[in-house]
Amino acid sequence: MLILSCLVLLCLLLVIGISVPMAFGAVLILIAVFGGHDVSGFLPAGHWKLNTVILLAIPLFILAGSVMERGKIAAPLVDLIQLLVGRMRGGLSAAAVVACAVFGSISGSAAATLTCIGSIMMPHLRRANYPEGTAAALIVAACPLGLLIPPSASQILYAWVTQQSVLKCFLSTVVPGFILVALLCVVNFLLVRKIPDLRLAERPKRFGRELGVRSWRAFPALLMPAFILGGIYGGVMTPTEAAGVAVIYAIPVGFFIYKGLNRRNFWQGIREASVTIGVVMVMVFMVLIVSRFLIFEDIPGLAKSLVFSISDNPVVILLMVNLVMILIGMVMDDISGLLLSAPLLLPIVTSVGMDPIHFAAVLGVNLGMANITPPTAPLLYLGARVTGAPVNRMMKPVLIMICFAWLPTLMITTFIPSVALWLPGVLFG
Amino acid sequence: MTQIIEHVPAALRGPVRLMLAIKGAFVCAASLIMAATFFCVVILRYGFGADLFAYEEWLLIICFWLYFMASAIGTYENSHVSADLLSYLTTDERLRWMRAVLVCAIELAVSLAALYWAVLAIRDEVASYPYWQATIALKIPFFVPRLALIFGFGLMSFYSALRLYVLCKLRRVPESAAADAADSDIADMAARDE
């Protein structure tokens, strides 16, 4: 009864617009009042949970994303991708999708991907007569690729919560990420195929030379994923150290090579990133305390019995698990959703034979989608601010992309285990 | 655009600005220390075959303070993650204002409860002296990072109270400083790209 009241209160508070950490704080009050727990132990429990070096990768990736964003590190990448695919019909918007995937491989943050790629691509897309709502929706739908293409802050969190290998979790979302890129490009081509006055980019007279010039300009930016991923998979650095190195590498690149950084916007960027770090980590702190109580009350066991009382068919169970995650994603952001659903749902999926690494991919796709699924869709609202397109014009194309790109990717990832497990299997056996 | 600082009592403006500036400087420094530490750890390991002794112990404390000080700034700027759907669904100023007051009052109540729990936690910590918990190598008492809870939730309560006061005084929803800053920033970037 107490747990049901907690869930109802949580949903109610989130829907009226209480911030996520405070909504979880209100749940803690309910637990304290009716659960008879010692309240002096609440916050130290959160401190114990948060007091680990691996979680520092999350603030460091937020910081790296902010420095890269202001350092204009994405601009040469976008130029290069535009040259390669920008000349076909719908190519410019497809370039935005590919740019989100490439930038995701260096930033580890969906918000940084959206801000960087959105602010660069949107003026180009407007000039080329792409419909504002569709173009903005496409960028919004593609930016969670930053969470699927490694490194990914949410996969680090999942690996930590479920005690899995971070490297395997990173790799599990790569193939789903590529499938999503392909499906988003197809949906994009279908959406823009009947727009009569699209302006297409012209092929440069000396394509080879232009390709060389743009590749050279993009080289320092392209070196970054090599550093980060090479360092992590080569066993040279932990993900946390790689994130720290990425921040320090991005500073001189942003100041002296791409010249996007100056003294003023550097400090402004660091301050904004720091505030985001505080907002995210205090949210993690509160969710972790609540999640500890849910585990203490054996809610994962109760949830498992409930699911198996409805059906013991693995397909039905996996569909139900996905439905629950979609519902969680509709009222929470990806990080709090992950912290709440991973310990709750992992026992259920493992009991029907799903590998925890496979579940990392399913959760990654699902919570990536959660970021753009209303009503709690932080990236959708941020996208409206970044691109200047009204939310109501973005809503229909975003829903189309969720239905025809995100949901099919989710189903493929859920029901074809090799999509998630092939790459970790190849590299780690 | 309107920021809440313009509507707080004149006597409070100076201290509020000063506190924000101090916290801003601290969170910037802490973030850079965090990144630089891991960079140094890698350089020391591969460049000099050395390690930074027990760096986790002091770094995690700095980071814990960073989280709570930054979160307090987030409360002031109203930039915590929330489902802002209702404010998009209605254009009725009065409804938006009532929702904002309700949200702010609940957030204030929760922050105060968390502040109370933080005080209890610190009280227990202090009472256990000299057998209090400390880090393994440097013996830094856990009291040090946990003090951030009191300051953090205390400041969050203060900023929520300030926002509630401004909402009641104005009887409309002021636009948040964070949204304004982000908007102008994005506009700058778009202008540069144009």
Side-chain angles (χ1 to χ4, degrees):
Chain A
M1 188 62 194
L2 176 65
I3 298 304
L4 192 66
S5 317
C6 288
L7 288 176
V8 171
L9 178 72
L10 186 65
C11 292
L12 189 72
L13 293 179
L14 288 172
V15 167
I16 64 168
I18 303 287
S19 62
V20 176
M22 292 303 149
F24 277 92
V27 169
L28 277 179
I29 295 177
L30 196 71
I31 291 172
V33 173
F34 297 105
H37 291 279
D38 174 20
V39 291
S40 66
F42 278 1
L43 302 188
H47 175 234
W48 272 117
K49 287 260 186 186
L50 216 57
N51 203 33
T52 168
V53 170
I54 191 159
L55 285 188
L56 294 184
I58 297 169
L60 284 167
F61 277 123
I62 293 172
L63 201 58
S66 174
V67 174
M68 290 171 200
E69 178 190 323
R70 278 153 207 276
K72 300 190 90 175
I73 289 172
L77 292 174
V78 170
D79 281 348
L80 180 64
I81 296 162
Q82 243 177 279
L83 179 73
L84 296 172
V85 293
R87 281 171 289 116
M88 60 180 102
R89 193 173 184 77
L92 195 60
S93 43
V97 175
V98 179
C100 285
V102 174
F103 193 75
S105 72
I106 57 176
S107 81
S109 152
T113 306
L114 173 59
T115 318
C116 282
I117 306 299
S119 59
I120 293 171
M121 288 304 294
M122 203 57 199
H124 291 291
L125 290 164
R126 274 208 187 90
R127 277 199 296 267
N129 293 334
Y130 279 81
E132 189 184 40
T134 308
L138 186 69
I139 295 170
V140 165
C143 71
L145 282 165
L147 299 174
L148 297 184
I149 308 291
S152 156
S154 52
Q155 288 300 325
I156 292 173
L157 207 56
Y158 173 82
W160 174 72
V161 170
T162 60
Q163 299 294 304
Q164 298 299 316
S165 153
V166 176
L167 304 185
K168 284 185 179 176
C169 291
F170 274 175
L171 289 176
S172 69
T173 51
V174 173
V175 177
F178 287 148
I179 292 172
L180 183 64
V181 168
L183 288 176
L184 282 173
C185 288
V186 169
V187 173
N188 155 62
F189 288 127
L190 292 174
L191 284 176
V192 301
R193 75 188 191 285
K194 284 186 179 164
I195 296 167
D197 52 350
L198 279 190
R199 277 194 220 157
L200 305 182
E202 286 176 14
R203 183 187 163 90
K205 283 177 187 163
R206 297 168 69 185
F207 181 81
R209 188 178 174 279
E210 190 62 29
L211 183 65
V213 169
R214 292 194 192 190
S215 301
W216 176 246
R217 277 206 69 221
F219 181 70
L222 288 171
L223 209 58
M224 203 174 271
F227 266 140
I228 298 174
L229 298 179
I232 295 173
Y233 287 105
V236 178
M237 295 181 272
T238 64
T240 314
E241 289 167 355
V245 171
V247 176
I248 301 298
Y249 174 79
I251 292 172
V253 169
F255 265 108
F256 305 116
I257 297 178
Y258 296 127
K259 298 185 168 55
L261 285 177
N262 55 46
R263 213 187 300 169
R264 185 175 159 267
N265 73 4
F266 172 71
W267 287 113
Q268 201 182 1
I270 297 290
R271 188 185 182 280
E272 277 173 26
S274 304
V275 174
T276 308
I277 288 168
V279 163
V280 169
M281 296 310 283
V282 168
M283 183 171 75
V284 170
F285 176 83
M286 297 301 265
V287 180
L288 282 174
I289 302 173
V290 172
S291 138
R292 180 174 167 269
F293 279 98
L294 294 182
I295 292 166
F296 186 75
E297 299 280 343
D298 193 29
I299 298 308
L302 278 176
K304 192 174 160 184
S305 325
L306 182 71
V307 167
F308 277 90
S309 70
I310 297 169
S311 169
D312 55 3
N313 182 329
V315 175
V316 177
I317 289 173
L318 290 179
L319 283 174
M320 278 196 287
V321 165
N322 273 313
L323 185 67
V324 168
M325 282 194 288
I326 289 170
L327 293 175
I328 288 177
M330 284 171 77
V331 289
M332 275 177 220
D333 67 296
D334 60 327
I335 288 182
S336 41
L338 187 148
L339 287 171
L340 201 67
S341 54
L344 201 69
L345 300 176
L346 188 65
I348 298 172
V349 296
T350 49
S351 65
V352 293
M354 185 181 263
D355 191 289
I357 300 297
H358 181 192
F359 188 54
V362 174
L363 202 63
V365 176
N366 218 314
L367 297 174
M369 186 168 79
N371 269 309
I372 56 170
T373 315
T376 309
L379 292 177
L380 183 64
Y381 305 131
L382 177 65
R385 286 228 307 267
V386 170
T387 59
V391 172
N392 56 2
R393 269 199 228 164
M394 287 162 60
M395 205 57 98
K396 189 180 164 193
V398 160
L399 291 177
I400 290 174
M401 282 161 208
I402 288 174
C403 291
F404 297 103
W406 276 97
L407 279 176
T409 307
L410 180 62
M411 290 301 116
I412 290 169
T413 310
T414 305
F415 293 109
I416 307 176
S418 55
V419 166
L421 297 175
W422 172 72
L423 204 52
V426 167
L427 288 183
F428 295 100
Chain B
M1 284 301 287
T2 320
Q3 296 191 1
I4 63 166
I5 190 76
E6 292 165 19
H7 304 287
V8 300
L12 273 178
R13 272 179 221 160
V16 169
R17 283 205 176 100
L18 182 68
M19 280 198 297
L20 283 171
I22 293 170
K23 283 197 293 285
F26 172 78
V27 297
C28 288
S31 295
L32 290 177
I33 288 170
M34 179 170 51
T37 304
F38 284 106
F39 183 74
C40 289
V41 165
V42 174
I43 296 294
L44 280 174
R45 189 190 303 142
Y46 295 105
F48 302 94
D51 69 337
L52 203 56
F53 176 70
Y55 74 92
E56 306 96 331
E57 296 190 357
W58 52 262
L59 186 64
L60 283 167
I61 291 173
I62 294 176
C63 291
F64 203 68
W65 273 89
L66 159 68
Y67 302 156
F68 281 88
M69 291 304 102
S71 181
I73 301 177
T75 304
Y76 171 79
E77 292 178 351
N78 203 16
S79 55
H80 278 280
V81 179
S82 61
D84 229 357
L85 186 75
L86 292 184
S87 59
Y88 279 97
L89 283 181
T90 175
T91 49
D92 184 334
E93 279 299 318
R94 188 163 169 75
L95 268 178
R96 289 179 62 167
W97 173 77
M98 284 166 64
R99 186 199 74 94
V101 169
L102 178 68
V103 164
C104 207
I106 294 173
E107 291 193 348
L108 174 60
V110 175
S111 308
L112 286 170
L115 176 62
Y116 170 65
W117 297 334
V119 171
L120 290 183
I122 291 293
R123 188 199 61 187
D124 288 355
E125 200 76 41
V126 172
S128 63
Y129 180 81
Y131 304 106
W132 57 15
Q133 293 172 302
T135 60
I136 296 163
L138 302 177
K139 305 285 177 215
I140 305 170
F142 275 18
F143 165 79
V144 178
R146 287 177 185 174
L147 208 55
L149 295 168
I150 292 188
F151 279 89
F153 286 117
L155 286 165
M156 284 182 227
S157 308
F158 173 66
Y159 292 134
S160 294
L162 218 55
R163 182 167 291 278
L164 190 60
Y165 165 80
V166 170
L167 279 169
C168 294
K169 184 181 158 195
L170 291 180
R171 300 208 157 255
R172 65 179 170 80
V173 182
E175 291 189 35
S176 81
D180 294 342
D183 284 347
S184 68
D185 208 39
I186 290 159
D188 283 353
M189 285 196 317
R192 281 206 306 267
D193 289 321
E194 290 275 3

